[in-house]
């Protein structure tokens, strides 16, 4: 009886794992996101200031036009991504509360600076 | 909202389906489903069981070196050693670990990654394979991470067994230098719950990350404390 109970518990754990796996891998329906394009030119973000609405979800498409890599970084946005020279990267942001969220280029911290203003 | 409920209810189910036993193999580290590109990583980890006088009676050490292979694939090699009261560290096993970032951070409801590990113990001809689903979700300045491990142990061509291990972390992103949090580790034998402190600093292009956690066994009548520490260099 005890053995049966243990087996049942073991099976429950196994099934639980695979059900969760199926759930994770199943297609997720998401709402439309506004796409905002930023370029990195001569170690500067262009534009360097973006205004979005509170609660809005956006997709930043960052095109690094420089030959050298740059790392988009922001602790406030909880994002960090290396963008190789001549390549694009997508960064998904939001929903955010009202405020200012600075970001910078890790490899050119004196020049590559920007912020997202959430109204 | 349904997914939010599922995320937390699954953690609670994990907590209550564990049974009693000993050993502290449940405690490790929390893996996040992200690959840091264009970098090398040097990592050292120590997990120690503390006795009544808070001295380490048994410790497991790991030393690893890793590198991203593609934008969403990271590979790391580890040497694993044990230290008991003899004060010498014996290399007991080697491990290869592959982390695959499945979704972009913030693109979907939660961020997903997968972890594959193969460990070979030097003695007993024991092999261990591990597959884990890594899930992370942001709640403003809070981050919740769930690791669901499924391990397959293979000893001497005779003993084969499946093992389950789950880990959960809830941390507050207070500042880059200091992030307090709580962690829960559950396997078929143990449940550990405790507090952790995480942090990091950047010096030029090198990141130094550290983690310290003190975890208490909550599934046993025997009181056991585990100290876990991690130091990581990314360059």
């Amino acid at each position: 009886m005890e053995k049966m109970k243990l087996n049942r518990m073991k099976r429950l754990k196994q099934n639980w794992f695979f059900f969760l796996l199926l759930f994770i891998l199943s297609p997720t329906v998401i709402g439309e996101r506004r796409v905002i394009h930023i370029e990195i030119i001569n170690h500067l973000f262009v534009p360097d200031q973006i205004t979005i609405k509170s609660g809005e979800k956006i997709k930043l498409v960052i095109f690094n036009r420089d030959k050298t890599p740059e790392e988009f970084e922001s602790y406030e946005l909880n994002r960090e991504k290396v963008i190789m020279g001549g390549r694009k990267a997508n960064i998904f942001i939001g929903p955010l509360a009202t405020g200012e969220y600075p970001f910078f280029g890790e490899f050119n911290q004196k020049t590559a600076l920007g912020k997202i203003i959430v109204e | 909202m349904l997914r939010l409920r599922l995320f937390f209810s699954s953690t609670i189910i994990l907590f209550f389906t564990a049974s009693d036993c000993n050993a502290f193999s449940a405690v490790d580290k929390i893996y996040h489903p992200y690959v840091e590109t264009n970098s090398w990583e040097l990592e050292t980890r120590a997990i120690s069981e503390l006795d009544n006088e808070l001295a380490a009676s048994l410790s497991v050490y790991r030393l690893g070196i890793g590198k991203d292979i593609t934008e969403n694939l990271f590979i790391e090699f580890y040497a694993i050693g044990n230290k008991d009261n003899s004060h010498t560290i014996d290399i007991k096993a080697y491990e290869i670990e592959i982390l695959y970032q499945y979704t972009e951070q913030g693109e979907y409801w939660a961020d997903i990654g997968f972890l594959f590990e193969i460990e070979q113990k030097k003695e007993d001809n024991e092999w261990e394979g591990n597959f884990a689903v890594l899930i992370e979700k942001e709640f403003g300045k809070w981050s919740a991470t769930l690791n669901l491990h499924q391990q397959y142990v293979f000893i001497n061509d005779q003993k084969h067994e499946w093992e389950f291990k789950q880990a959960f972390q809830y941390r507050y992103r207070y500042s880059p230098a200091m992030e307090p949090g709580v962690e829960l580790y559950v396997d078929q034998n143990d449940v550990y719950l405790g507090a952790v402190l995480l942090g990091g600093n950047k010096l030029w292009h090198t990141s130094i990350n550290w983690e310290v956690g003190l975890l208490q066994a909550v599934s046993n009548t025997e009181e056991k404390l585990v100290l876990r520490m991690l130091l990581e260099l990314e360059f």
Side-chain angles (χ1 to χ4, degrees), chain A residues 13-14 16-18 20-21 23-25 28 33 71 73 75 78-82 92 106-107, chain B residues 3 10 17 36-37 104-107 112 114 133 135 138 148 150 164 173 175-176 179 202 205:
Chain A
K13 279 185 179 180
Q14 271 178 351
W16 179 88
F17 186 88
F18 287 111
L20 191 83
L21 197 61
F23 169 75
I24 289 161
L25 297 175
T28 313
R33 282 175 185 265
E71 185 171 3
E73 191 167 337
Y75 184 77
N78 192 26
R79 295 291 182 271
E80 202 175 314
K81 195 165 183 78
V82 173
F92 297 87
E106 164 72 18
F107 303 142
Chain B
R3 291 192 168 196
S10 52
T17 49
E36 179 79 17
T37 49
E104 274 295 334
Q105 192 174 5
E107 186 176 6
I112 313 288
F114 301 108
V133 182
I135 308 164
E138 266 180 60
L148 302 167
Q150 189 165 30
F164 300 92
R173 286 182 287 104
S175 78
E179 297 183 341
K202 286 211 169 178
H205 292 315

Side-chain angles (χ1 to χ4, degrees), chain B residues 148-207:
Chain B
L148 302 167
H149 296 266
Q150 189 165 30
Q151 292 174 332
Y152 184 70
V153 183
F154 180 93
I155 307 167
N156 270 338
D157 203 18
Q158 287 169 349
K159 192 181 166 194
H160 307 238
E161 60 185 34
W162 287 98
E163 289 177 2
F164 300 92
K165 199 168 89 174
Q166 295 89 24
F168 177 72
Q169 182 190 71
Y170 198 51
R171 69 191 159 97
Y172 180 68
R173 286 182 287 104
Y174 175 72
S175 78
M178 194 180 290
E179 297 183 341
V182 288
E183 285 182 359
L184 173 74
Y185 292 88
V186 178
D187 70 5
Q188 283 156 306
N189 306 317
D190 296 284
V191 177
Y192 281 88
L193 180 68
V196 286
L197 204 56
L198 324 167
N201 287 94
K202 286 211 169 178
L203 293 171
W204 190 225
H205 292 315
T206 304
S207 294

